Amino acid sequence: QVQLVESGGGLVQTGGSLRLSCAASRSIFGLNVMGWYRQAPGKQRELVASITNRGSTNYADSVKGRFTISRDNAKNTMYLQMNSLKPEDTAVYYCNAVTTSYVYWGKGTQVTVSS
């Protein structure tokens, strides 16, 4: 059992940057894959980026080259560095973790990008 809590969201201008954090209530060593999803109003939740315990990463085409996902097992924390933000990035961003048996979700943090 693990609780995930996102932070770092907010309002930013187009072209600006934000760094999201996902703090876990216990060691994330056993969380095979962690990732960030986002959901805009009226739309389905979509995968933004993922990272394995070994550090392999994947990104949605829409954020490739602008966002960077990372995890620090010693700090029980995952991050999403978001640069060159666009209004299309506006959404609630959710932390996610997957084990062989469970899928965990945080409650989300709002990111709003104004033009």
Side-chain angles (χ1 to χ4, degrees), residues 32-111:
N32 306 51
V33 181
M34 299 185 72
W36 289 96
Y37 285 71
R38 66 187 181 187
Q39 187 169 24
K43 294 186 177 181
Q44 186 59 266
R45 192 171 297 186
E46 65 175 350
L47 176 66
V48 176
S50 64
I51 185 168
T52 70
N53 207 316
R54 298 175 182 175
S56 298
T57 59
N58 283 291
Y59 296 91
D61 288 341
S62 59
V63 307
K64 196 168 295 183
R66 299 188 297 122
F67 291 9
T68 303
I69 189 171
S70 62
R71 61 190 286 174
D72 188 335
N73 291 345
K75 296 181 179 179
N76 298 335
T77 304
M78 179 181 64
Y79 306 96
L80 184 68
Q81 178 66 47
M82 305 185 294
N83 299 325
S84 302
L85 283 162
K86 306 173 181 179
E88 306 92 89
D89 297 317
T90 295
V92 177
Y93 284 70
Y94 296 91
C95 180
N96 161 269
V98 178
T99 70
T100 55
S101 300
Y102 299 99
V103 179
Y104 300 97
W105 293 96
K107 293 184 177 180
T109 185
Q110 177 71 49
V111 171

